[in-house]
Amino acid sequence: MPAWGSACQTRGRRGGTWHYRERVSERVAVGVLGARGRVGAEVCRGVEAADDLDLVAAVDVGDDPQELVSRGAQVVVDFTHPDVVMGHLELLVGAGVHAVVGTTGFDDERLATLRGWLESSPGTGVLIAPNFSIGAILMMRFAAEAAAYYESVEIVELHHPDKADAPSGTARRTAQLVARARREAGLGAVPDATSTSLDGARGADVDGVHVHSVRARGLLAHQEVVLGGPGETLTIRHDSLDRASFVPGVLTGVRGIAAQPGLTVGLESFL
Ligand SMILES: NC(=O)C1=CN([C@@H]2O[C@H](COP(=O)(O)OP(=O)(O)OC[C@H]3O[C@@H](n4cnc5c(N)ncnc54)[C@H](OP(=O)(O)O)[C@@H]3O)[C@@H](O)[C@H]2O)C=CC1
Ligand SMILES: O=C(O)C1=N[C@H](C(=O)O)C[C@H](O)C1
């Protein structure tokens, strides 16, 4: 029986007599936080279109997040804002509700706080995924794999100008994965003899990897990882052209989170 499966009976006719056959229903009651936002609205549409999911609460600014609990959400998806997401998670984890989180802004300190809350709520699962699109997940994986072979690497992330934060959660995560791969390969610091006269000219330094953030109307979510070695470069690029790109990954997280208690960072282990 799945974690939230409920057994129900269906009636069938065999040999002229009615009999009952047990059928296991795996429907999941889902709440969405940030339901009127750019991604939240897309997630609501995805949940409503799925045969095995029920949208029981759609919450945004002005609504009471307690509704998520009182309406029986088993899993809550959060696409809100880095400034408010921790408050939501404290409420959800305290109530034993699983969470699938796309909202950015998770540093080591926040993750440690979250782990502490989860220790007091055994059986509850939280998935924090910097990016739910399959192409972005593959882009991060390919970048980490390539990083061991190149002396140089820089990341350019490009987004719409209404984005809450910079650098993007995806770029931070990519930089961390690339930096780890470089360490494991025994590579030292990336070569850079530049002496800059303007702050910011070389972007932000994330674990020794330079990250550049572009914000321009017309863009949605894009990233390039530029790797360089003697006489060659390799550019790994991903483009999200529509927010529909995030929905299948979110629904995969929703369906899998009850079976993965504790904290998971990145959708990779659900694929
Ligand atoms: N992991 C991933 O794959 C992705 C992650 N993201 C991240 O998701 C987050 C949201 O992005 P996006 O959808 O573009 O942002 P939006 O601003 O379009 O949506 C956020 C929504 O949350 C609402 N909101 C803000 N505070 C609260 C609150 N306290 N309670 C309930 N709702 C609240 C906002 O309302 P109001 O507008 O009134 O403030 C808005 O409707 C960002 O951190 C972004 O980086 C985005 C895309 C993909
Ligand atoms: O705000 C966005 O739009 C996005 N945010 C996430 C991030 O910061 O990485 C994911 C994607 O890049 C879109």
Side-chain angles (χ1 to χ4, degrees):
M1 177 83 90
W4 45 64
S6 68
C8 64
Q9 291 181 319
T10 53
R11 211 164 65 140
R13 207 169 147 83
R14 190 174 54 203
T17 55
W18 287 102
H19 70 97
Y20 288 89
R21 175 166 56 89
E22 195 176 62
R23 180 169 61 86
V24 173
S25 152
E26 297 181 48
R27 301 192 70 78
V28 185
V30 182
V32 176
L33 261 166
R36 288 194 292 272
R38 284 177 287 262
V39 184
E42 202 67 56
V43 170
C44 288
R45 279 191 283 278
V47 170
E48 283 181 315
D51 289 341
D52 57 337
L53 309 177
D54 292 317
L55 184 63
V56 297
V59 171
D60 205 281
V61 164
D63 304 321
D64 181 359
Q66 281 288 350
E67 264 184 45
L68 298 157
V69 181
S70 61
R71 293 195 184 189
Q74 293 161 306
V75 179
V76 168
V77 177
D78 189 302
F79 278 88
T80 56
H81 192 280
D83 291 348
V84 298
V85 64
M86 287 302 276
H88 296 157
L89 289 174
E90 189 169 16
L91 166 78
L92 296 171
V93 173
V97 177
H98 308 291
V100 170
V101 182
T103 306
T104 45
F106 286 88
D107 54 15
D108 288 346
E109 196 183 328
R110 284 187 170 201
L111 294 177
T113 303
L114 198 42
R115 281 194 188 92
W117 293 339
L118 284 162
E119 273 169 25
S120 312
S121 185
T124 306
V126 173
L127 166 64
I128 310 278
N131 201 310
F132 281 97
S133 96
I134 185 66
I137 293 165
L138 290 172
M139 175 262 295
M140 287 187 261
R141 184 195 292 177
F142 298 156
E145 188 176 343
Y149 301 96
Y150 286 91
E151 202 181 338
S152 297
V153 58
E154 303 223 350
I155 296 171
V156 186
E157 57 95 334
L158 310 93
H159 281 84
H160 60 94
D162 303 315
K163 180 163 174 52
D165 54 348
S168 70
T170 308
R172 277 180 188 271
R173 172 88 171 150
T174 312
Q176 288 161 354
L177 294 172
V178 159
R180 187 170 72 195
R182 287 177 65 89
R183 276 194 302 276
E184 286 171 3
L187 293 173
V190 291
D192 182 5
T194 320
S195 137
T196 48
S197 53
L198 267 185
D199 279 352
R202 295 283 293 114
D205 180 329
V206 180
D207 277 11
V209 178
H210 288 270
V211 178
H212 309 269
S213 298
V214 177
R215 297 289 175 266
R217 190 68 66 204
L219 294 174
L220 200 150
H222 319 260
Q223 181 167 295
E224 287 188 357
V225 182
V226 182
L227 301 122
E232 64 169 307
T233 62
L234 169 67
T235 302
I236 302 171
R237 178 173 173 117
H238 174 256
D239 299 275
S240 266
L241 304 171
D242 190 302
R243 292 183 177 87
S245 60
F246 305 118
V247 177
V250 172
L251 301 191
T252 297
V254 166
R255 293 182 176 112
I257 189 63
Q260 209 145 306
L263 178 63
T264 305
V265 178
L267 189 67
E268 297 84 323
S269 61
F270 287 70
L271 301 178

